[in-house]
Amino acid sequence: MRYLLIIFLFISFSSHSQEQMSLSVKANDHVSEQFYLLKGGDMGIVTIDSSRVKAFGVLLFNWEGKPGVYRLSDKDGHLVDFRMEMPHLSFEIRGHFPETELIFESGNKNNQLQYYISEFKYYNKEARRIGDEYQKAIDSALETKDILSTHKEIQKEYKGLVKDLWSKRTDDWSLQLALNYADKMPDLNEKNKSRFFVNQYFQHFDFADTLMVGSPCFYNKLERFFNTEEIQELLKRNDSKEIELMIQQIFWLSEVNKYAQECLVNFLMQIYPEASSPNLYATVVKTYKLANSCEYVLANKSMRTRIERDKIFSIGANAPDFILQNCMDMNLESFSKVNSDITLLVAWSAHCEGSVDLLDKIQDIYKTYHKKGMEVVAISIDNNIKSWANFVEDADYTWVNACDKAGLKGEFAKAYNITSTPAMFLISTDLKLISKPITFFQLKAELAKYLY
């Protein structure tokens, strides 16, 4: 929760897709308390609004949005996840956190969702209690047979519940969401290895589930995983090989859903920033690029040189100038001649699916941000000038287009250490590097900071 309560000024949904939404919560036991309404976004959990429970015991929220999964949180971080199938919803909170009862209208599947969430919380609480007893027995050299037997029974019940929900989840969204709370119960007498622990933890977690991906439940699941003892110990050991295997496994599990991978990389880059976790950050970026970009082969020496240069080319560094080869704008000779408050420099190739997809997304926001002072300079590394020109014309890219047919051996690719496409760079008007966004969603967030 502490990592994800981030308020974004930029909202990615267009206004025409919004509806007038309202939430009414009866909360007589929480008069005057502050609550926050949250939802999932491209880069984490977004705070929509905050409100206090009125003197007559009712909490009200009104906003523009659309049906989906939402979250209610109090100032102490107690959470209530629910789904709004219609633009209006009401329910009741009885009692004080964490021992509360949530009551929705009869027939509303949120009742079933909350029941199974409470079941998972019960089993997790029991597992922790038994784990504490086991550790105390070990420390005191006492017999542990009965404790292990009790834990085994709890594990059996828990696994039975999870498997039952998994088999019935297809046409029941409440079961799909409830399964996000199904964390792996620890084995008291076995040591977990991180590479195997990943698969076990996400065994009943569907990265292809469009209802769940990008929701508060999705980010909460990831946060709980990275807060587990196994992963925290792995990170403390700074075992680069095991960490890389762990990250690769999660990306492999999420590869069926590109949006899930984009949400995943945004989440990881936020909670493990380059400044405090350089090795993990580099692993995340490397893994994402391998999974979502077109890689090109260079001689080993050239590759190593560019990797080392890329580390030096950090925020605030001078952006190298270069000749705009085969530029469609005959008035521009070099990159430094582009006149804009911020320039988005994109390296791409028409043969790279990821590149074309990214340019299509950039095209959707180009007019809006162009009016605010942004220019896009798209440099292709394709070697067939005629095919490139036809592609750009057909796609109707109206920004600055150029092509360095020398590819990775060209002036541009060498200057910016390009080893794969697509690659993005945000450059200031005085040719300073502002950012190197990895995903389109990170690009939008960066643009929102500088171009209001």
Side-chain angles (χ1 to χ4, degrees):
M1 178 67 187
R2 62 184 180 278
Y3 298 123
L4 298 174
L5 194 56
I6 301 170
I7 302 177
F8 290 105
L9 297 176
F10 184 85
I11 303 298
S12 61
F13 299 105
S14 58
S15 58
H16 68 268
S17 66
Q18 308 296 288
E19 299 179 57
Q20 192 59 43
M21 308 287 289
S22 66
L23 174 67
S24 174
V25 181
K26 186 177 179 181
N28 289 324
D29 297 312
H30 301 270
V31 172
S32 298
E33 290 185 25
Q34 186 90 2
F35 281 83
Y36 303 88
L37 182 65
L38 315 171
K39 69 179 294 297
D42 300 332
M43 298 179 70
I45 295 179
V46 181
T47 301
I48 299 175
D49 199 2
S50 64
S51 182
R52 290 188 183 276
V53 180
K54 308 298 182 184
F56 48 89
V58 174
L59 179 67
L60 298 172
F61 288 99
N62 292 283
W63 73 100
E64 287 191 352
K66 58 184 181 180
V69 180
Y70 289 87
R71 167 173 290 173
L72 202 61
S73 170
D74 69 1
K75 63 181 179 60
D76 297 318
H78 297 117
L79 308 175
V80 177
D81 287 336
F82 56 92
R83 184 187 183 193
M84 295 183 67
E85 295 188 273
M86 303 294 290
H88 312 288
L89 179 67
S90 62
F91 64 92
E92 180 179 359
I93 299 176
R94 289 184 184 174
H96 294 279
F97 292 104
E99 303 300 328
T100 56
E101 183 181 5
L102 303 175
I103 302 173
F104 294 81
E105 293 180 2
S106 178
N108 190 306
K109 286 209 168 181
N110 278 296
N111 284 314
Q112 181 168 269
L113 170 62
Q114 299 304 325
Y115 168 76
Y116 284 116
I117 288 176
S118 66
E119 284 290 285
F120 288 132
K121 287 181 178 178
Y122 163 76
Y123 281 113
N124 287 330
K125 185 177 180 180
E126 281 295 287
R128 287 194 298 271
R129 181 185 64 78
I130 295 171
D132 290 341
E133 286 186 11
Y134 179 77
Q135 190 58 52
K136 288 178 182 177
I138 292 293
D139 294 341
S140 304
L142 299 176
E143 178 59 53
T144 61
K145 184 178 179 180
D146 290 342
I147 297 175
L148 289 172
S149 178
T150 302
H151 187 266
K152 189 175 182 179
E153 287 299 317
I154 289 290
Q155 272 192 320
K156 184 177 179 180
E157 290 179 20
Y158 182 81
K159 289 178 180 179
L161 173 63
V162 173
K163 287 181 180 179
D164 184 51
L165 297 189
W166 183 258
S167 66
K168 297 175 181 177
R169 79 193 187 286
T170 306
D171 299 316
D172 193 328
W173 62 260
S174 66
L175 302 186
Q176 290 175 303
L177 291 180
L179 281 164
N180 289 286
Y181 290 84
D183 300 342
K184 178 184 176 292
M185 295 186 74
D187 292 317
L188 298 183
N189 57 351
E190 294 181 16
K191 291 184 178 180
N192 290 310
K193 294 182 179 179
S194 60
R195 69 178 70 178
F196 304 114
F197 177 67
V198 173
N199 286 332
Q200 293 171 14
Y201 194 89
F202 292 104
Q203 186 176 11
H204 297 99
F205 183 80
D206 192 355
F207 280 99
D209 187 349
T210 55
L211 171 67
M212 176 268 294
V213 170
S215 71
C217 303
F218 173 84
Y219 291 112
N220 189 246
K221 178 75 172 183
L222 293 176
E223 186 178 81
R224 295 200 308 277
F225 171 73
F226 280 93
N227 282 335
T228 56
E229 290 184 13
E230 291 88 346
I231 299 304
Q232 286 299 307
E233 284 297 320
L234 174 61
L235 297 179
K236 286 178 183 177
R237 293 199 309 269
N238 199 26
D239 187 329
S240 57
K241 183 177 180 180
E242 287 294 322
I243 289 174
E244 185 168 350
L245 285 170
M246 180 264 292
I247 295 296
Q248 286 175 350
Q249 274 192 295
I250 299 177
F251 273 93
W252 178 77
L253 290 171
S254 63
E255 70 175 352
V256 293
N257 188 329
K258 293 298 181 184
Y259 180 60
Q261 285 205 338
E262 288 168 336
C263 290
L264 175 60
V265 72
N266 290 331
F267 168 82
L268 291 172
M269 292 175 74
Q270 282 183 59
I271 65 171
Y272 299 109
E274 186 173 18
S276 58
S277 306
N279 293 335
L280 180 57
Y281 184 92
T283 297
V284 169
V285 171
K286 174 186 173 183
T287 305
Y288 180 77
K289 283 186 174 181
L290 286 171
N292 294 276
S293 65
C294 300
E295 293 291 318
Y296 300 93
V297 179
L298 292 172
N300 287 338
K301 185 177 180 180
S302 299
M303 179 69 81
R304 285 196 300 270
T305 300
R306 294 193 187 185
I307 290 174
E308 289 305 314
R309 285 178 180 171
D310 192 58
K311 293 178 182 178
I312 300 172
F313 189 39
S314 57
I315 307 305
N318 292 323
D321 193 13
F322 59 94
I323 303 299
L324 291 172
Q325 302 285 353
N326 303 295
C327 186
M328 290 187 175
D329 188 338
M330 301 303 293
N331 296 318
L332 290 175
E333 297 178 355
S334 64
F335 179 64
S336 60
K337 298 297 182 181
V338 177
N339 184 22
S340 62
D341 295 333
I342 289 182
T343 301
L344 170 60
L345 180 60
V346 185
W348 71 287
S349 168
H351 301 290
C352 175
E353 183 179 344
S355 292
V356 176
D357 180 60
L358 176 63
L359 289 184
D360 287 345
K361 291 176 180 176
I362 293 173
Q363 194 171 31
D364 290 338
I365 65 172
Y366 176 64
K367 287 183 179 179
T368 298
Y369 281 102
H370 185 57
K371 293 177 182 178
K372 296 180 179 182
M374 178 195 77
E375 184 55 272
V376 174
V377 176
I379 311 295
S380 168
I381 60 170
D382 293 306
N383 57 17
N384 189 316
I385 299 296
K386 186 176 181 180
S387 295
W388 160 75
N390 290 336
F391 188 95
V392 169
E393 184 178 354
D394 290 342
D396 195 26
Y397 297 149
T398 56
W399 46 62
V400 178
N401 292 286
C403 181
D404 190 341
K405 66 178 183 179
L408 294 183
K409 296 180 179 179
E411 177 189 357
F412 165 63
K414 290 179 181 179
Y416 283 82
N417 308 304
I418 305 298
T419 58
S420 65
T421 57
M424 293 186 286
F425 309 87
L426 278 177
I427 311 295
S428 66
T429 188
D430 58 348
L431 292 184
K432 299 288 185 182
L433 178 65
I434 296 174
S435 175
K436 293 191 289 185
I438 302 300
T439 69
F440 175 67
F441 303 113
Q442 289 175 352
L443 169 64
K444 289 193 297 181
E446 288 295 305
L447 290 175
K449 289 181 186 177
Y450 300 101
L451 300 175
Y452 304 111

